[in-house]
Amino acid sequence: MGSGISRRFVRLVCAVVLTVAAVAACDADSPGDAASEDAPPDVAEAAAAPPIAWGACPALAQGVSRDPRLVCGTVEVPLDYRDPGGAKIEVAVSKLPAAQSRDRRGVLLLNPGGPALSGLDTPGVVAPTLPPSVLAAYDLIGFDPRGVGHSTPQSCGLDDPSLAGLFPYPAADGSIAANVKHARAHAGRCATNAGEKLRHFTTANTARDMDRIRAALGEEKISYWGQSYGTYLGTVYASLFPERADRVVLEGNVDPTKVWAKAKDNWGKAMSERFPDAARVAAAQHAALGLGGTVDEVTRRYLELADRLDRTPALVPGTSNALTGSMLRTVTYSLLLHNETLPVLVQFWKAAVGLADGKLTEADGQVLRQVFTAPQPTPGVPADNQATMFLALTCGDARWSDDVDEYARRTAEDRAAWPLTAGMPANIWACAFWPKPVEEPVRVTDRGSRNTLILQNRRDNATPWEDGLGLHEVLGGRAAFVGADNGGHYVYNQGSRCVDEATVTFLTTGQLPDEKVDCTDIAPK
């Protein structure tokens, strides 16, 4: 395994960019405080926002670099938009200026998803993938959503700061008793350490912050590109501010009717459709890997390994860490997000088998030690910030059930239907013990200008194909749909000229396809 792949492997596994598509939620009541029935906050005063004072960007984690052209600043916004004169928080914003040209159209606001991923450096990451025509048309604008990164970061003080620690895989026998205990503890820790203010760190308020950013930039409208959870944020913004959304690109999509009550419904199916892409890679190397010579054999061996690690975790030599079935599934999920990491994933499976068998080679041991290498901390950002804000958004955007027996029943059903996900998507989360949201989810409809491009992979294990179709159905004539016969979570710049040309054409001319487009010209990168 080359050093370049190895470094990418470490970054991807440590980040474990878990998306909202894995969340299962239901309607229910929670005693104590009722959701407000007031009208949505009035945000018209955003037009008077002072301009951003651009300067140096915040310090990065050790070993991380950024585009030197990037400048940063802050925008002050209300903590609670129902009380605009009350407490304020700061949102960190970045800008990569458009290339010198007469063709500048405006700004393109970017969000990388998560939920709760930092977006401050996203312009520098995206810029190399864009042609000169787009870079001349837009200033690329990044931001850390409220509560995330350098935007008044929040912390629940969680013992396990990783996102992976939140995902509730049942016990080996299917019991969710330990999951219930952990969910209650996470909710209690957030209530104690982050407090009442955490209820205002929601997607709707983040969208309102985006309009404050728009005003501070001095723009009448903003164009927007959101990926994964960022697609939901984009649809909420366009619903709250339909006259202020210019050109909107949504990639790897969340169905806004499933926020978050039915977000789990297609997740097990999506994993079952994506997993064979990796299994084929493993089968082609059966002589070297020994994982099986067919997709079915590899899948069966993987499921047996996961069950074995559920029952008997395997200690990684030279560390205090043990590889569990949950960790095996989490790393698999993460590396399925990218086609380019499928070869890395099958090497990880081989190493996991060797560890469980007590026959670990030095090379395989190195792979496993990399899995447990913690990412370097970002100065000024709590270690559990992304996990905290993942909970704040997924629990604070919509109501969850507090019926433990119902979670147990649904988990058992999901576990039987989709063995690869082992019942996790339907299991209980801290949201079951969370206060009611401060407002109902923003309603997304088909009313509005035709100004949205939906990009969706057919085999996306994070945000399934069906959810992209669901979003298109909700938006109706407002949006065009471009589907790619590809796997993974990312659509643009993933080997389809058909996808890339549709995206660039829309951003530079505003022209959308008249009908659904099916892109089959996938070429490996």
Side-chain angles (χ1 to χ4, degrees):
M1 185 168 59
S3 59
I5 292 179
S6 176
R7 287 193 296 269
R8 182 181 294 116
F9 176 46
V10 174
R11 290 197 301 270
L12 288 171
V13 172
C14 291
V16 190
V17 183
L18 300 171
T19 67
V20 77
V23 178
C26 325
D27 287 343
D29 289 337
S30 176
D33 40 326
S36 172
E37 299 298 329
D38 294 343
D42 181 2
V43 291
E45 69 274 11
I52 299 171
W54 299 110
C57 294
L60 293 164
Q62 184 178 353
V64 178
S65 61
R66 67 162 45 105
D67 192 308
R69 298 170 295 173
L70 207 66
V71 292
C72 293
T74 60
V75 175
E76 186 179 78
V77 301
L79 171 66
D80 179 1
Y81 276 91
R82 299 182 191 281
D83 182 19
K88 300 292 192 296
I89 61 174
E90 285 191 339
V91 173
V93 184
S94 64
K95 178 174 73 170
L96 198 159
Q100 292 296 322
S101 170
R102 297 179 180 179
D103 298 325
R104 183 185 182 276
R105 179 176 180 83
V107 299
L108 180 60
L109 200 66
L110 305 168
N111 180 272
L117 283 176
S118 168
L120 211 58
D121 283 282
T122 302
V125 174
V126 170
T129 73
L130 298 173
S133 58
V134 175
L135 296 176
Y138 299 97
D139 295 333
L140 302 184
I141 305 297
F143 72 107
D144 284 351
R146 62 166 49 205
V148 175
H150 297 283
S151 292
T152 317
Q154 300 300 297
S155 171
C156 290
L158 300 173
D159 291 333
D160 182 352
S162 69
L163 273 178
L166 298 180
F167 272 52
Y169 284 98
D173 62 358
S175 169
I176 71 166
N179 304 126
V180 174
K181 181 180 178 180
H182 290 149
R184 195 185 300 273
H186 289 151
R189 188 67 69 91
C190 287
T192 298
N193 294 332
E196 176 73 10
K197 66 181 180 180
L198 196 62
R199 297 179 68 207
H200 299 289
F201 290 83
T202 64
T203 298
N205 280 338
T206 302
R208 295 174 181 122
D209 296 343
M210 286 168 53
D211 204 57
R212 292 297 181 101
I213 294 172
R214 174 201 60 78
L217 292 170
E219 300 287 339
E220 291 186 7
K221 293 186 175 185
I222 57 172
S223 291
Y224 176 84
W225 191 332
Q227 210 281 331
S228 192
Y229 161 80
T231 65
Y232 178 57
L233 177 60
T235 58
V236 169
Y237 179 80
S239 298
L240 290 175
F241 306 98
E243 302 303 319
R244 299 172 187 171
D246 191 11
R247 296 169 183 172
V248 179
V249 178
L250 306 176
E251 177 186 10
N253 297 275
V254 173
D255 183 337
T257 67
K258 297 181 178 181
V259 179
W260 299 114
K262 298 180 180 179
K264 67 93 181 174
D265 287 355
N266 293 321
W267 203 71
K269 179 175 182 289
M271 279 291 289
S272 73
E273 292 171 343
R274 173 57 169 162
F275 188 89
D277 289 343
R280 275 187 285 273
V281 174
Q285 302 177 54
H286 175 52
L289 301 178
L291 297 174
T294 68
V295 168
D296 287 345
E297 289 178 358
V298 173
T299 304
R300 183 172 60 255
R301 186 77 182 276
Y302 174 86
L303 291 172
E304 290 171 350
L305 176 63
D307 180 70
R308 181 179 176 186
L309 292 172
D310 279 339
R311 300 176 189 281
T312 308
L315 186 67
V316 179
T319 77
S320 60
N321 300 305
L323 182 63
T324 64
S326 297
M327 187 64 173
L328 175 76
R329 296 182 186 97
T330 298
V331 174
T332 296
Y333 168 89
S334 182
L335 295 178
L336 284 172
L337 296 174
H338 305 258
N339 286 330
E340 64 202 77
T341 54
L342 297 186
V344 180
L345 175 56
V346 301
Q347 290 291 335
F348 167 68
W349 290 345
K350 175 180 179 293
V353 170
L355 180 67
D357 288 344
K359 301 176 181 178
L360 192 68
T361 67
E362 176 56 33
D364 289 342
Q366 182 179 358
V367 170
L368 292 175
R369 285 189 291 272
Q370 288 173 339
V371 170
F372 290 98
T373 300
Q376 292 295 317
T378 301
V381 180
D384 71 335
N385 176 240
Q386 190 184 358
T388 293
M389 286 305 303
F390 180 95
L391 290 177
L393 291 163
T394 55
C395 300
D397 277 354
R399 303 179 187 185
W400 284 63
S401 171
D402 60 0
D403 186 340
V404 173
D405 290 341
E406 178 68 5
Y407 281 110
R409 182 186 67 78
R410 295 177 63 187
T411 298
E413 292 175 351
D414 198 67
R415 184 178 175 88
W418 308 110
L420 285 168
T421 49
M424 182 276 293
N427 205 346
I428 195 166
W429 291 67
C431 306
F433 307 106
W434 210 264
K436 280 188 177 180
V438 294
E439 62 180 301
E440 295 297 320
V442 173
R443 186 164 178 258
V444 178
T445 73
D446 60 359
R447 295 191 299 273
S449 302
R450 181 172 168 81
N451 66 344
T452 302
L453 177 65
I454 296 172
L455 305 177
Q456 183 68 45
N457 276 342
R458 187 168 290 277
R459 299 183 309 285
D460 183 341
N461 60 296
T463 50
W465 173 258
E466 288 83 359
D467 287 3
L469 294 177
L471 173 60
H472 188 221
E473 182 176 351
V474 171
L475 295 182
R478 290 173 55 190
F481 185 92
V482 174
D485 186 15
N486 202 358
H489 194 33
Y490 302 90
V491 190
Y492 175 80
N493 193 43
Q494 296 301 308
S496 170
R497 183 176 179 180
C498 167
V499 167
D500 295 352
E501 287 185 351
T503 306
V504 170
T505 297
F506 173 56
L507 287 173
T508 53
T509 70
Q511 181 180 347
L512 289 168
D514 294 328
E515 299 179 348
K516 285 185 181 179
V517 177
D518 185 17
C519 294
T520 60
D521 62 335
I522 312 301
K525 292 183 63 179

